[in-house]
Amino acid sequence: MKRESLFRYAWEHYNSEPEYLWRNLPDYAVLRHHNGDKWFGLVMNVPGTKLGLKTEDKVDILEVKVRPEHIGSLRQKDGILPAYHMNKEHWVSVILSGPLSADEIHELLADSHELTC
């Protein structure tokens, strides 16, 4: 999934536009509830080696909040890693160009949106 597709989905379903909060990290975007300040997603491009991958190339990831009881099983899936930036007990990183389908990514984003209300 391309980040533009994810952003379009977030706009259409959650009325959320990406916010670029950091001047020194111009490709990091926050998805936030339209009626508040809470984040339900964070899109970043991170060197693969910082994620435990065998590449220096930057990889687009989406961080989403998940139920703590699902963390273990989710991390067993290809394309889902421990959260890079957020609390690893509650958040995971999803490789956007990974093996997960758009529907699976949308479901994770929906769960994150619900959990952060």
Side-chain angles (χ1 to χ4, degrees):
M1 169 178 276
K2 301 259 187 229
R3 63 172 47 213
E4 295 79 18
S5 298
L6 177 70
F7 294 153
R8 186 172 38 257
Y9 182 87
W11 172 250
E12 291 169 356
H13 290 84
Y14 308 110
N15 197 27
S16 178
E17 292 186 84
E19 294 181 49
Y20 298 89
L21 304 177
W22 303 281
R23 230 178 291 172
N24 62 327
L25 299 166
D27 294 322
Y28 282 35
V30 171
L31 294 172
R32 175 188 318 254
H33 289 267
H34 74 278
N35 58 353
D37 290 333
K38 287 202 167 197
W39 300 2
F40 65 95
L42 174 60
V43 176
M44 301 176 281
N45 62 338
V46 180
T49 53
K50 291 192 175 192
L51 301 169
L53 304 175
K54 295 178 182 178
T55 181
E56 284 289 332
D57 294 341
K58 290 193 174 182
V59 177
D60 276 343
I61 59 172
L62 166 66
E63 298 222 332
V64 289
K65 189 168 189 175
V66 297
R67 297 177 198 287
E69 61 269 19
H70 295 160
I71 288 276
S73 61
L74 284 171
R75 286 190 192 156
Q76 299 297 316
K77 288 184 159 194
D78 284 342
I80 298 181
L81 306 168
Y84 171 71
H85 177 72
M86 304 295 273
N87 182 321
K88 289 172 180 37
E89 292 179 32
H90 299 278
W91 293 73
V92 294
S93 292
V94 177
I95 300 173
L96 289 178
S97 63
L100 294 181
S101 69
D103 286 343
E104 290 172 303
I105 293 171
H106 294 162
E107 186 177 323
L108 288 167
L109 191 64
D111 289 345
S112 185
H113 187 268
E114 181 181 320
L115 288 168
T116 56
C117 282

